[in-house]
Amino acid sequence: MNQIRRSSKTGFRQNAACSKRSVGDRLRREFAPGRDILIYVGTTNAEMTELPEHRSRLISAVAIEPKQILETRKIVPPEVWANSYAAWGDRWPHSMAVLDAADMVGPPYPHAREVTPVAYRSFSDVANRGSIVEALGDERSAVMALPVRRITLNLREDVRAYLKLRASFDPNVEKAVRQEAFRMAERVTDRVKRGGEVGVKINPLRAAPNLSDLVALFLQKWKEQVGLCALCSSKMVAGGTNKMLQPSADRIDSTNGAYDNGNVWITHLACNLAKNAHGLPDFEDWIAVIRGADLSVSD
């Protein structure tokens, strides 16, 4: 399956930007890495597609990371975003990282009406405006046969970190552990959203990556900790009914609001609550007593 995307500009070279969140959601569901590519097609609008040689032409091809939807303004160079915003406003707020890219050989660039007539005509449907259409059969084969020039990309640091997390994921990890990772990620995401809200007390400000990144992070931590609590070093139970033994995401430094690789580990919920309520030194004394140590103070 090829995805053909009608585009007014190709300035966001290192990300596939889109105007609608629904486009990103569709790509996340349907785009298969290693099989699919996105083809950028110039519009016929002289204001939106400034270069005449790009209008109605197949311009470039990209392979994306479909599992993560990003904010465009956060992953492109500030000057690129500033120029785009000045001209178009927040027109392309959502993005996916581009992992590989190529330009079509030209000018003259391949004409969309000649290479992909059916797919190109479907852009006239109201439902496809600002979206993507699929090139099938002979049109896909025609696109794949076009000559291209490969582009060297320097991936942004956050994209590289995300791919590293994805690579660390073990597909054989048991279902209960994956479910616990997702549950912890949802709870952390909710805490971050509530940061700064005023209730009985002011919720502390916290920061975290998006849900899919958190799931990958917690799976990585579970693997690193060999399924053991980071505080008491005893086995954690995935999918159990005892809330005290439930895995819990704990910030190592509670004064640091970030849930990131350097400031998070997984503990029993009971250990997490005890440490937070009484401090790490008292918690460690309590664990030592549980294990049989004599911490009595002599006169």
Side-chain angles (χ1 to χ4, degrees):
M1 177 178 69
N2 278 39
Q3 304 283 350
I4 294 184
R5 180 171 167 224
R6 187 78 173 266
S7 177
S8 61
K9 61 201 301 293
T10 56
F12 295 142
R13 176 67 71 186
Q14 296 206 30
N15 65 298
C18 50
S19 57
K20 301 176 182 178
R21 173 75 186 214
S22 59
V23 175
D25 290 336
R26 179 183 171 188
L27 288 171
R28 187 158 54 179
R29 291 191 308 269
E30 301 179 12
F31 189 95
R35 183 194 72 183
D36 298 337
I37 57 174
L38 281 174
I39 305 296
Y40 283 83
V41 186
T43 71
T44 57
N45 187 308
E47 181 181 357
M48 298 183 67
T49 303
E50 296 179 0
L51 296 178
E53 61 265 32
H54 285 173
R55 295 172 197 162
S56 301
R57 305 286 176 154
L58 304 181
I59 303 171
S60 59
V62 298
I64 63 170
E65 167 48 63
K67 300 302 181 183
Q68 185 187 38
I69 298 179
L70 306 162
E71 288 186 67
T72 305
R73 65 184 178 86
K74 292 184 178 180
I75 65 167
V76 300
E79 64 276 10
V80 173
W81 178 253
N83 291 337
S84 174
Y85 192 87
W88 306 103
D90 193 9
R91 187 168 190 150
W92 295 279
H94 312 295
S95 292
M96 290 178 170
V98 168
L99 305 182
D100 201 2
D103 282 332
M104 299 294 176
V105 174
Y109 298 99
H111 204 300
R113 289 192 182 91
E114 297 173 0
V115 181
T116 56
V118 175
Y120 186 72
R121 281 198 303 271
S122 67
F123 278 124
S124 61
D125 295 342
V126 174
N128 292 330
R129 292 177 184 174
S131 186
I132 54 177
V133 299
E134 189 174 355
L136 300 170
D138 291 343
E139 292 191 5
R140 172 188 165 85
S141 299
V143 170
M144 299 302 291
L146 295 172
V148 296
R149 296 189 187 95
R150 192 80 171 269
I151 300 169
T152 300
L153 298 177
N154 294 315
L155 299 180
R156 297 289 294 253
E157 182 178 351
D158 56 345
V159 175
R160 293 198 303 271
Y162 178 77
L163 294 176
K164 184 178 179 180
L165 280 175
R166 287 285 306 277
S168 70
F169 173 67
D170 182 355
N172 298 316
V173 67
E174 61 181 290
K175 182 179 179 180
V177 173
R178 294 199 303 270
Q179 291 174 333
E180 291 289 0
F182 186 78
R183 179 190 56 76
M184 288 187 288
E186 284 192 314
R187 288 183 63 85
V188 168
T189 300
D190 182 61
R191 290 181 199 137
V192 171
K193 288 179 180 177
R194 290 187 286 111
E197 290 182 357
V198 178
V200 177
K201 63 178 182 178
I202 298 177
N203 292 315
L205 294 174
R206 297 184 175 99
N210 64 32
L211 186 68
S212 60
D213 287 358
L214 281 170
V215 172
L217 175 60
F218 293 146
L219 288 171
Q220 176 186 328
K221 291 295 180 179
W222 188 282
K223 183 178 180 180
E224 291 175 356
Q225 296 174 208
V226 202
L228 302 179
C229 172
L231 288 170
C232 74
S233 301
S234 298
K235 184 177 179 180
M236 291 183 291
V237 179
T241 58
N242 188 327
K243 295 295 185 182
M244 294 180 67
L245 299 177
Q246 187 179 71
S248 176
D250 179 39
R251 283 172 294 129
I252 299 171
D253 178 3
S254 297
T255 64
N256 180 352
Y259 287 89
D260 57 27
N261 185 59
N263 194 48
V264 72
W265 55 24
I266 303 175
T267 71
H268 293 117
L269 178 60
C271 293
N272 189 352
L273 295 175
K275 185 209 80 170
N276 290 339
H278 302 289
L280 187 58
D282 285 357
F283 171 82
E284 290 176 339
D285 286 347
W286 175 67
I287 288 294
V289 169
I290 293 296
R291 291 173 177 162
D294 183 3
L295 299 183
S296 58
V297 179
S298 59
D299 293 334

